[in-house]
């Protein structure tokens, strides 16, 4: 197949489910989890598309055991000292408007499906976010069972790393 250079900001624009894979150290966590969430939160990315970009790491046992969106919000925002009622209101908002939510699940290769709650497995299958956007990152060596259980992705992208220019921009 042909190769095409894609910026991380272009990934979520028109595709509802994406698998981004690449070797260790290629930038999956940096580009899709840290940079996308940061750029969204500062108004530089996807503002017209999403009310929230929620990035969570599947290596975290608390994430793997999440039973609902509220549990993931607590992982993401719990350190901000938000009141439980505020988090419940946010969770309710996105249950009603999943199309305005982008969930980034980082590190599929770092967990086994039998370690994940039904809710997290449904996120990976995109059944928990009907109409929402899901980006999953993984090394290509992820458990074949895990990948096969996640179904088909509209887009699969290989993360090859950062260019010198991109590294300078990110470090700046």
């Amino acid at each position: 197949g042909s190769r095409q250079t894609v910026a991380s900001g272009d990934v979520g624009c028109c595709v509802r489910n994406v698998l981004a894979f690449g070797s260790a150290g290629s930038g999956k966590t940096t580009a899709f989890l840290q940079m996308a969430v940061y750029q969204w939160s500062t108004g530089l990315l996807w503002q017209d598309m999403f009310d929230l970009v929620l990035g969570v790491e599947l290596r975290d046992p608390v994430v793997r055991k999440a039973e609902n969106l509220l549990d993931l919000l607590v992982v993401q925002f719990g350190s901000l000292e938000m009141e439980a009622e505020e988090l419940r209101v946010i969770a309710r908002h996105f249950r009603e408007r999943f199309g305005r939510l982008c969930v980034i699940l980082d590190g599929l290769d770092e967990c086994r499906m039998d370690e994940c709650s039904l809710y997290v497995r449904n996120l990976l299958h995109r059944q928990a976010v009907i109409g929402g956007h899901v980006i999953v990152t993984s090394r290509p060596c992820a458990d074949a069972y895990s990948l096969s259980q996640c179904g088909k992705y509209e887009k699969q992208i290989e993360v090859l790393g950062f260019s010198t220019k991109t590294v300078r921009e990110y470090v700046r």
Side-chain angles (χ1 to χ4, degrees), residues 36-47:
V37 170
Y38 173 76
Q39 287 185 344
W40 173 84
S41 70
T42 58
L44 299 173
L45 183 67
W46 299 334
Q47 292 297 301

Side-chain angles (χ1 to χ4, degrees), residues 20 35 70 76 101 122 158:
M35 193 151 64
L70 180 58
Q76 180 80 25
L101 174 66
N122 283 341
E158 182 177 3

Side-chain angles (χ1 to χ4, degrees), residues 52 69 73 82 85-94:
L52 178 64
L69 180 59
L73 290 169
M82 293 181 79
E85 184 54 32
E86 290 176 291
L87 291 172
R88 278 193 281 280
V89 167
I90 294 169
R92 188 170 38 251
H93 170 80
F94 286 107

Side-chain angles (χ1 to χ4, degrees), residues 18 24 29 61 64 105-106 110 118 125 158 171:
V18 176
T29 298
R64 289 193 305 262
L105 299 166
D106 182 52
E110 298 183 53
L118 178 61
H125 290 284
E158 182 177 3
V171 172

